[in-house]
Amino acid sequence: VIPCIYDRTGSFCEGLAKIEKDGKWGFINQKGEQIIPFLYDDASYFTEGLALVKKGDKYGYINDKNETVLPFIYDDGALFENGKTWVQIGDKQFEINKLGIEIK
């Protein structure tokens, strides 16, 4: 049960749920403990150990320890699936792997 102290909540994926409070997103575990603080302007779900999150007007990817895995350089992005995802920088959309290397 998620306490009624948040503005919005998401479903649990990989043991964490995204939550919003006062316009910022963070993550809680299944015990309701805040694992990642309310730092982000938008957030996706965790897939393959990473979540797409937004700071200001750029997206990046974090792990469940709130460490930046892929930098906040993307204008848009998607969830990881089979070790890859698509991202956008400017008008260019392309696929990357978990190291941020473009897949040709």
Side-chain angles (χ1 to χ4, degrees):
V1 176
I2 299 173
C4 293
I5 58 173
Y6 305 117
D7 299 330
R8 289 192 285 175
T9 63
S11 301
F12 282 95
C13 291
E14 298 187 7
L16 297 175
K18 65 180 186 172
I19 51 172
E20 182 188 23
K21 187 172 184 179
D22 300 326
K24 296 289 183 178
W25 290 90
F27 292 84
I28 59 171
N29 65 17
Q30 292 176 328
K31 295 178 183 177
E33 301 165 326
Q34 187 174 355
I35 301 301
I36 297 174
F38 301 103
L39 299 172
Y40 301 105
D41 297 304
D42 195 7
S44 72
Y45 301 100
F46 274 89
T47 58
E48 298 188 15
L50 299 176
L52 176 69
V53 292
K54 185 178 184 183
K55 274 187 179 179
D57 62 350
K58 296 293 180 182
Y59 288 90
Y61 290 84
I62 61 169
N63 63 20
D64 62 359
K65 294 175 181 56
N66 197 32
E67 298 167 331
T68 301
V69 176
L70 296 174
F72 290 85
I73 60 171
Y74 304 106
D75 295 314
D76 203 356
L79 303 175
F80 271 89
E81 186 176 339
N82 298 318
K84 61 185 178 181
T85 189
W86 72 266
V87 292
Q88 181 173 336
I89 297 177
D91 293 333
K92 183 181 178 187
Q93 289 185 356
F94 52 98
E95 282 189 316
I96 59 171
N97 64 19
K98 288 185 176 184
L99 299 175
I101 299 169
E102 185 174 350
I103 298 170
K104 300 279 178 175

